[in-house]
Amino acid sequence: MVMTQSPATLSVSPGERATLSCRAGQSVGRDLAWYQQKPGQAPSLLIYDASTRATGIPARFSGSGSGTEFTLTISSLRSEDFAVYYCQQYNTWPLTFGGGTKVEIK
Amino acid sequence: QVQLIQSGPEVKRPGASVRVSCKASGYTFRFYTLTWVRQAPGQGLEYIGWISGSDGATDYAQNFQGRVTMTTDTSTGTAYMDLKSLKSDDTAVYFCARFRDFVLGRYFDYWGQGTQVTVSS
């Protein structure tokens, strides 16, 4: 199943809100996760079940959506949040990831 | 704490095979399923397949069937991924990652640090 993320790159100033989108080729219910990846590191889990924050993830990260349309919002960007973000569906085999959104400093 | 520690970088010729290992600690190995994901240079994430920590059952993504074999050594809590008939576009960082729950949550809650595999003549 194709997962499409937009935009590919998002330029945001520190303290501003960032809104990332993920679209599924067919309904995945709420079986969607978000990951953050910094250069040279493995991805790390942010959100699962579309809107549940993983352990230790700050409240400025929030997920929403169901079916085919999902959103990751970072309410007030901090320097450590500039990274690439991936969505992943786990409703249907094979598991698939979106192409990623790079959040860069404006 | 949960840790997944992977083996070091590999350089292989086209047509060769590579084995990457992933040693788990901090949890009961047989209670979880491990998976493999790869990332080509500058690209996104590609799912390869999974292996059960309890009975060694496997399932591979179609793109890798016939070329990948996943195994475990439950005595050491280590998972292995063998990839054969390597091509230049297999050059990537290979990650092992743990499924949170095979039935209810097939997302990845812990990741290894990644292993660079370079295929070059």
Side-chain angles (χ1 to χ4, degrees):
Chain A
M1 181 189 313
V2 176
M3 304 296 292
T4 303
Q5 290 187 242
S6 61
T9 304
L10 187 61
S11 299
V12 186
S13 299
E16 291 187 340
R17 173 186 296 255
T19 303
L20 289 66
S21 295
C22 175
R23 174 175 294 177
Q26 64 191 65
S27 177
V28 298
R30 293 180 60 81
D31 295 336
L32 187 106
W34 290 93
Y35 302 87
Q36 177 192 69
Q37 187 178 33
K38 297 179 180 179
Q41 297 184 17
S44 60
L45 178 66
L46 291 174
I47 300 283
Y48 62 91
D49 293 347
S51 61
T52 304
R53 280 187 300 276
T55 303
I57 301 303
R60 65 180 182 274
F61 291 92
S62 63
S64 64
S66 65
T68 62
E69 300 284 342
F70 300 88
T71 300
L72 174 69
T73 301
I74 312 170
S75 60
S76 178
L77 273 156
R78 299 179 60 159
S79 58
E80 61 264 34
D81 301 334
F82 291 96
V84 180
Y85 293 84
Y86 293 96
C87 61
Q88 176 236 331
Q89 67 81 20
Y90 48 95
N91 182 265
T92 304
W93 298 104
L95 310 181
T96 47
F97 295 88
T101 291
K102 180 180 181 181
V103 178
E104 64 177 24
I105 300 174
K106 185 175 182 180
Chain B
Q1 73 283 20
V2 174
Q3 285 191 302
L4 300 174
I5 304 297
Q6 297 184 223
S7 49
E10 301 272 5
V11 179
K12 297 292 182 181
R13 301 292 192 199
S17 299
V18 69
R19 167 170 279 202
V20 181
S21 67
C22 171
K23 181 169 176 57
S25 62
Y27 71 95
T28 303
F29 186 79
R30 68 180 183 274
F31 286 174
Y32 289 86
T33 296
L34 284 174
T35 70
W36 293 88
V37 175
R38 76 178 184 181
Q39 186 169 39
Q43 302 299 310
L45 301 164
E46 182 177 22
Y47 168 76
I48 300 172
W50 59 260
I51 182 163
S52 167
S54 62
D55 63 6
T58 57
D59 186 66
Y60 308 134
Q62 188 169 11
N63 286 352
F64 297 93
Q65 286 179 4
R67 285 208 305 139
V68 70
T69 303
M70 296 177 187
T71 56
T72 59
D73 179 346
T74 55
S75 68
T76 61
T78 302
Y80 299 92
M81 183 200 67
D82 295 304
L83 188 62
K84 66 181 182 181
S85 303
L86 289 168
K87 303 168 285 187
S88 58
D89 57 6
D90 290 318
T91 294
V93 176
Y94 288 75
F95 296 100
C96 62
R98 192 185 80 166
F99 270 158
R100 176 60 185 90
D101 182 280
F102 186 80
V103 175
L104 299 178
R106 292 185 297 268
Y107 51 87
F108 312 103
D109 60 353
Y110 289 94
W111 295 68
Q113 82 276 19
T115 296
Q116 175 69 52
V117 174
T118 302
V119 182
S120 174
S121 55

